Amino acid sequence: MYDKSVAQLVAGLRDKQFSSVELSRCFLERIARLDSTYNSFISVDETAVLAAAGAADKRIAAGNAATLTGIPIAHKDIFCTDGMRTSCGSRMLDNFVPPYDATLIAHFNREGAVVLGKTNMDEFAMGSSNENSFYGAVSNPWDTSLVPGGSSGGSAAAVAAMLAPAATGTDTGGSIRQPAAFCGITGIKPTYGRVSRLGMVAFASSLDQAGPMAHSAEDCALLLNCMAGHDPLDSTSSELPAEDYCAGLGGSLQGLRIGLPREYFGDGLDTATARCIQDSLKELEAQGATLVEVSLPHSHLTIPTYYIIAPAEASTNLSRFDGVRYGHRCANPVDLHDLYTRTREEGFGAEVKRRILVGTYALSAGYYDAYYKKAQQVRRLIKQDFVDCFSQVDVIAGPTTPGPAFALGAKSDDPLAMYLEDIYTLAANLAGLPGMSVPAGLVGGRPVGLQLIGNYFDEARLLNVGHRFQQATDWHQRRPATAPGGTQ
Ligand code: GLN
């Protein structure tokens, strides 16, 4: 059961080949046996899992099941779960048990899906390697000496190692797509505002977006159907009705215009990775798509722009963690100032502190115009590059990352080298566009991802391109040899 796609599990439950309790037990057993190797989960509540699975089985027996009823799904530990710790990978929230569910979790509960557990992540979603977690680093199931990517590294590793059939993640600058690429799975960051942010711990509010991570585009479509939609409690949630993302799967690619930004194929891209991307593009071309060279002339400004805007917004969002309201509080504060400083000194890790310092500086009086305002102006130019491109093409394609997964520890002392990991993913967040990564090959046994960026609210088209690609290739069906039961 553990190696099946969500689509197959949905059919298996419907046809009574197995029950949700059996299915959930299978994944719980794998987590208990194997996750000491990967460290992909922070919390798993077996009793709650089996209770939810039992309720799902009753619902299936009563004949009123929804599509995902009984399917176990792992959730990034950034989403509030009523009565279950939500740590966001931080000591600051190690003791935080939310009194409510994030809208996204509520959607899955309404559908009768089972919360399998909460996955490891970089602290407050800041990172590209999952090494910034208070709960320790996560290992890549393809090679446990490598990082799984970040910040949704726990979700990606859990799916790749078949400890969960699918997971949720969040993407502020690449945190769904980059770990999906490194772990050989499929992940989509929808358009900004497509999925509610209510109950999702805020990192950079104008960039954060939640999305599904699974083995295939089809499975991502099944999850996105449950996640997407307007939320009156999130003022940045789009009022545009969500589509049925499964309905268009299988449509022809004949006449599809795919833009290849010349800036995404230049210096800095690993040659073996580039070859995988070129081969993937040939496959799409064979299915009738036309490849068109395009340009995103402000691409070189995405890293500096993001690393002003994201820390600025983070410094504001994280000011709420003061030891007064909830989360960590230092012992025996002598006065209010001592309470604030020691709580934050103890509660936050090094990368989070670095971002708070950068963001506070960028927003301070006298520097606001030079940094935050300037970055917002450049952000507009980056967005305009995409608007211009989408007047010529239907989707944009390129690599998700400059190369495959790197070794644990290789970049952890060099924040700038780590930030360069995000070079191809940040722009979609700055522009608010949907972006997806699909497995596109192996380089020395390490997976690489093809990135597809779509126009606003064009998730259905992206998913279809990914699905058509996966009907013709088997990269998404490869499983890491370190995960017992897996075959290369
Ligand atoms: N790697 C980027 C960062 O560290 C993006 C993280 C994310 O998307 N949450 O900010």
Side-chain angles (χ1 to χ4, degrees):
M1 283 182 271
Y2 60 84
D3 57 351
K4 293 201 169 11
S5 68
V6 174
Q8 288 168 326
L9 295 177
V10 165
L13 284 171
R14 188 194 51 219
D15 300 343
K16 312 260 186 325
Q17 288 167 23
F18 42 80
S19 69
S20 175
V21 168
E22 285 164 340
L23 182 61
S24 301
R25 272 195 207 286
C26 161
F27 285 107
L28 287 174
E29 184 277 320
R30 283 182 70 79
I31 294 168
R33 184 161 48 92
L34 303 171
D35 203 37
S36 53
T37 309
Y38 309 116
N39 197 27
S40 64
F41 281 88
I42 291 175
S43 306
V44 176
D45 179 344
E46 295 206 7
T47 316
V49 170
L50 293 175
D57 283 333
K58 285 210 184 83
R59 185 164 160 184
I60 294 168
N64 60 359
T67 309
L68 297 179
T69 304
I71 302 289
I73 292 171
H75 295 286
K76 187 175 183 177
D77 205 18
I78 197 169
F79 297 107
C80 285
T81 37
D82 191 354
M84 184 175 190
R85 176 175 63 171
T86 299
S87 74
C88 217
S90 182
R91 181 178 180 199
M92 189 60 94
L93 290 176
D94 183 50
N95 63 3
F96 174 56
V97 178
Y100 71 107
D101 280 323
T103 298
L104 174 147
I105 300 287
H107 280 206
F108 280 109
N109 286 344
R110 197 175 57 201
E111 183 106 353
V114 174
V115 176
L116 181 60
K118 306 291 293 291
T119 57
N120 205 340
M121 57 180 285
D122 282 304
E123 183 176 8
F124 287 103
M126 297 174 190
S128 305
S129 67
N130 218 116
E131 293 168 293
N132 297 335
S133 169
F134 174 61
Y135 302 90
V138 175
S139 292
N140 189 320
W142 290 83
D143 175 342
T144 52
S145 69
L146 304 177
V147 303
S151 63
S152 312
S155 289
V159 174
M162 298 172 284
L163 306 185
T168 55
T170 62
D171 190 311
T172 302
S175 280
I176 287 176
R177 291 162 286 160
Q178 186 253 19
F182 279 10
C183 290
I185 66 164
T186 307
I188 180 167
K189 176 201 97 69
T191 307
Y192 180 77
R194 179 67 296 172
V195 175
S196 170
R197 289 188 300 113
L198 182 100
M200 179 175 126
V201 179
F203 163 13
S205 307
S206 74
L207 302 163
D208 298 341
Q209 181 59 200
M213 304 173 78
H215 290 298
S216 66
E218 182 185 25
D219 285 1
C220 285
L222 281 163
L223 264 74
L224 191 59
N225 272 354
C226 175
M227 298 164 76
H230 176 59
D231 181 358
L233 299 175
D234 170 3
S235 62
T236 59
S237 151
S238 170
E239 288 183 20
L240 199 74
E243 292 171 61
D244 177 350
Y245 299 101
C246 295
L249 294 181
S252 165
L253 302 188
Q254 200 63 44
L256 182 83
R257 296 163 305 168
I258 301 181
L260 310 180
R262 83 174 68 95
E263 294 80 4
Y264 286 18
F265 291 88
D267 283 352
L269 176 61
D270 164 62
T271 46
T273 303
R275 215 170 303 123
C276 294
I277 302 304
Q278 296 297 355
D279 289 347
S280 309
L281 293 169
K282 281 198 200 105
E283 175 52 49
L284 295 173
E285 209 176 14
Q287 293 196 33
T290 354
L291 307 180
V292 185
E293 188 180 286
V294 292
S295 178
L296 297 167
H298 296 94
S299 290
H300 63 292
L301 296 175
T302 53
I303 291 185
T305 304
Y306 173 88
Y307 279 98
I308 293 293
I309 292 174
E313 296 183 8
S315 72
T316 308
N317 276 324
L318 270 52
S319 66
R320 75 191 68 179
F321 300 109
D322 55 6
V324 176
R325 293 161 240 236
Y326 55 91
H328 179 68
R329 174 180 295 174
C330 70
N332 309 318
V334 294
D335 57 21
L336 190 60
H337 191 256
D338 184 42
L339 168 71
Y340 290 160
T341 49
R342 268 199 302 126
T343 293
R344 290 167 70 81
E345 162 63 32
E346 293 165 7
F348 291 136
E351 181 63 23
V352 173
K353 286 177 184 155
R354 185 178 296 126
R355 307 260 181 136
I356 292 173
L357 284 173
V358 170
T360 306
Y361 180 83
L363 290 176
S364 56
Y367 293 106
Y368 178 85
D369 285 353
Y371 294 109
Y372 191 72
K373 188 169 164 211
K374 178 66 80 187
Q376 289 288 26
Q377 289 165 336
V378 178
R379 179 180 189 172
R380 176 61 66 93
L381 298 175
I382 292 166
K383 174 184 168 177
Q384 192 56 42
D385 285 352
F386 282 100
V387 171
D388 294 344
C389 267
F390 283 120
S391 67
Q392 306 161 52
V393 298
D394 306 304
V395 299
I396 289 171
T400 306
T401 56
F406 47 90
L408 282 157
K411 300 187 185 187
S412 41
D413 294 332
D414 187 350
L416 291 183
M418 196 71 95
Y419 298 170
L420 278 171
E421 270 305 302
D422 306 328
I423 188 142
Y424 304 128
T425 49
L426 296 178
N429 301 75
L430 289 166
L433 293 164
M436 174 167 163
S437 182
V438 293
L442 291 171
V443 168
R446 298 176 289 169
V448 298
L450 167 73
Q451 181 176 215
L452 299 164
I453 300 175
N455 211 338
Y456 295 101
F457 299 103
D458 219 1
E459 287 82 7
R461 191 201 304 259
L462 280 190
L463 288 161
N464 182 46
V465 176
H467 181 63
R468 289 295 306 235
F469 179 72
Q470 291 178 335
Q471 285 184 315
T473 58
D474 70 351
W475 299 116
H476 65 295
Q477 284 164 346
R478 310 282 180 110
R479 299 289 180 264
T482 75
T487 46
Q488 297 243 15

